[in-house]
């Protein structure tokens, strides 16, 4: 079981100005909120095929904390099944 660290209050109060630099706030199980001048982005770090990769989960507030955690769980399930979530995302984008 993962330990979720972030709260809605922490996310709302986090800003680039507050930290003065690009910052990552960890939520556990590889997921973090990446804060930069242009906004707040959900990302997930994972390893696949011996390489470290990053998966974009969405932009806050369009993707709230609960949905980001669900997307992280879905991605982890794919990885456990031997499927790279970034490849699935590329296939979905190509199908559009």
């Amino acid at each position: 079981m993962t330990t979720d660290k972030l709260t809605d209050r922490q996310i709302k109060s986090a800003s680039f100005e507050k930290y003065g630099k690009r910052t990552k706030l960890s939520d556990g199980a590889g997921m973090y909120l990446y804060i930069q001048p242009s906004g707040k982005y959900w990302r997930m770090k994972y390893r696949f095929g011996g390489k470290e990769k990053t998966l974009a989960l969405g932009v806050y507030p369009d993707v709230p904390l609960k949905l980001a955690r669900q997307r992280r769980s879905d991605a982890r399930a794919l990885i456990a099944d031997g499927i790279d979530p970034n490849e699935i995302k590329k296939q979905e984008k190509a199908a559009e």
Side-chain angles (χ1 to χ4, degrees), residues 15-63:
S15 68
F16 180 77
E17 292 76 25
K18 178 178 177 181
Y19 296 102
K21 61 181 181 177
R22 289 184 166 101
T23 305
K24 294 177 184 177
L25 301 179
S26 176
D27 188 60
M31 188 175 89
Y32 59 92
L33 184 67
Y34 185 52
I35 301 167
Q36 57 183 11
S38 59
K40 302 174 188 177
Y41 303 88
W42 292 112
R43 300 283 185 260
M44 182 183 138
K45 240 182 197 181
Y46 66 99
R47 294 190 72 80
F48 191 84
K51 295 183 181 178
E52 187 173 286
K53 297 186 173 199
T54 303
L55 177 66
L57 301 174
V59 180
Y60 182 86
D62 297 337
V63 176

